[in-house]
Amino acid sequence: MSKLLPLVFIIIGILTQTPFTDAPKIFAQSTKASQTSKMGSLPSPSSPPPPQFGPPSPEISATQKSASTNKTCIVMPSKLKLHGSPQQTEGPYFVDDMPNRSDIRSDPSTGMIQQGIPLHLVIHIYSLNNGICAPIRAVKVDIWHVNSQGIYSAVKDFGTTGQQFLRGYQTTGNDGSVHFTTVYPGWYQGRTIHIHVKVRTFEGSNKTMDWTSQFYFDNNLNKQIHTQLPYSKHGPPTTTNEQDGIYTGPSTDGLIKDNSGQHMLLNVSKEGQGYLGTFNIVLSSTT
């Protein structure tokens, strides 16, 4: 049995390097739409980890950081190898045409900055075709989430019509990555703590691809964060990942039958006075 181990690890650790890909040329129109105080700037992160398929580790190892080149992809033997990252419901609070910006903490209309523990998000977008993946450029990546008190901007029901805090988009460059500076999200009734993400490509004004999902955090980290101000004013989270119907439910694209949220856990590590969260979104050529 010991003689077989090296071969097993070689198979699991397939490493493929290819040049970046022009997104609009790869993806056809999606056939399944997605369902329905100031803080200083954060330091740049170390090199991010290569794509992982399945639940990520809560900490990013030094080996992962140093090994990444943004032009490599580790393909693991699983459903995700063939179909990419699972999609989840868009929810009712997506608002298009938000600001093109990396730092989404402020509201442009008032200049006020949301208070909270700093969170630096690094998101990589990869194409996946026959087990080979590569970073994709010219991809529009939107994110949106609640503030420390569980409030979304730009939503009438929350009394925030016209405000744009904790919303924005970036477009990937040749390395397929986008960076956002934000705060650790709070919670609201019935949902675990999460960040919404939408990935789109366009040819002119025509949308050629639309992929939507949600990022999640470790339950213990969520509890720890909410013992600190300003989160403690809102109280501890009332819903864990395992109690959340979207986290435990199927993906909207049919890829995962249950617990689709397990495949959307952020890699989180400490960074200065805040945290670094990274994720590698892998899009199948059939997305």
Side-chain angles (χ1 to χ4, degrees), residues 135-147:
I136 318 172
R137 67 182 179 184
V139 177
K140 183 178 182 180
V141 182
D142 278 270
I143 67 168
W144 67 103
H145 64 85
V146 298
N147 65 9

Side-chain angles (χ1 to χ4, degrees), residues 4-268:
L4 296 179
L5 289 178
L7 178 58
V8 173
F9 286 126
I10 289 172
I11 292 173
I12 293 177
I14 298 173
L15 185 66
T16 305
Q17 182 164 345
T18 60
F20 62 78
T21 309
D22 241 343
K25 296 179 182 178
I26 288 185
F27 298 106
Q29 175 68 42
S30 174
T31 57
K32 192 175 185 78
S34 300
Q35 298 178 4
T36 345
S37 165
K38 300 186 177 181
M39 291 174 288
S41 60
L42 299 177
S44 298
S46 303
S47 298
Q52 296 176 353
F53 297 82
S57 166
E59 294 294 332
I60 303 170
S61 69
T63 302
Q64 286 177 311
K65 290 181 180 180
S66 62
S68 175
T69 66
N70 265 345
K71 293 185 179 180
T72 61
C73 180
I74 295 177
V75 180
M76 306 291 278
S78 70
K79 286 184 178 181
L80 302 188
K81 172 181 176 180
L82 300 177
H83 302 291
S85 302
Q87 297 193 62
Q88 292 191 321
T89 181
E90 176 182 289
Y93 301 127
F94 173 66
V95 180
D96 208 353
D97 299 321
M98 286 293 104
N100 179 359
R101 56 181 181 166
S102 179
D103 190 333
I104 66 171
R105 294 174 294 179
S106 66
D107 174 52
S109 64
T110 64
M112 295 188 63
I113 295 178
Q114 289 296 310
Q115 298 182 29
I117 294 174
L119 176 64
H120 186 181
L121 281 178
V122 182
I123 304 169
H124 306 283
I125 312 297
Y126 290 87
S127 68
L128 178 63
N129 193 353
N130 294 324
I132 299 175
C133 56
I136 318 172
R137 67 182 179 184
V139 177
K140 183 178 182 180
V141 182
D142 278 270
I143 67 168
W144 67 103
H145 64 85
V146 298
N147 65 9
S148 64
Q149 306 303 298
I151 303 297
Y152 283 104
S153 67
V155 177
K156 181 179 179 181
D157 291 346
F158 288 96
T160 56
T161 301
Q163 299 181 45
Q164 298 177 335
F165 60 83
L166 305 181
R167 294 180 181 269
Y169 80 89
Q170 288 279 278
T171 302
T172 61
N174 291 346
D175 64 354
S177 68
V178 291
H179 294 237
F180 290 98
T181 299
T182 185
V183 296
Y184 200 97
W187 62 273
Y188 58 95
Q189 192 65 39
R191 287 302 317 275
T192 190
I193 293 172
H194 61 281
I195 294 176
H196 295 270
V197 57
K198 180 179 282 290
V199 175
R200 293 176 289 178
T201 59
F202 297 85
E203 287 185 354
S205 59
N206 296 321
K207 183 171 61 177
T208 56
M209 187 272 297
D210 189 328
W211 180 98
T212 305
S213 199
Q214 300 181 29
F215 297 134
Y216 300 93
F217 299 82
D218 177 77
N219 287 324
N220 291 329
L221 182 57
N222 288 338
K223 291 180 181 178
Q224 176 186 334
I225 292 293
H226 280 75
T227 63
Q228 305 172 57
L229 290 172
Y231 303 90
S232 57
K233 294 179 181 179
H234 190 45
T238 59
T239 305
T240 65
N241 291 338
E242 292 73 24
Q243 295 170 328
D244 185 280
I246 296 175
Y247 180 95
T248 59
S251 60
T252 58
D253 51 23
L255 171 63
I256 303 297
K257 300 304 180 183
D258 53 46
N259 290 313
S260 58
Q262 289 183 352
H263 302 281
M264 296 303 298
L265 282 162
L266 282 168
N267 289 285
V268 178

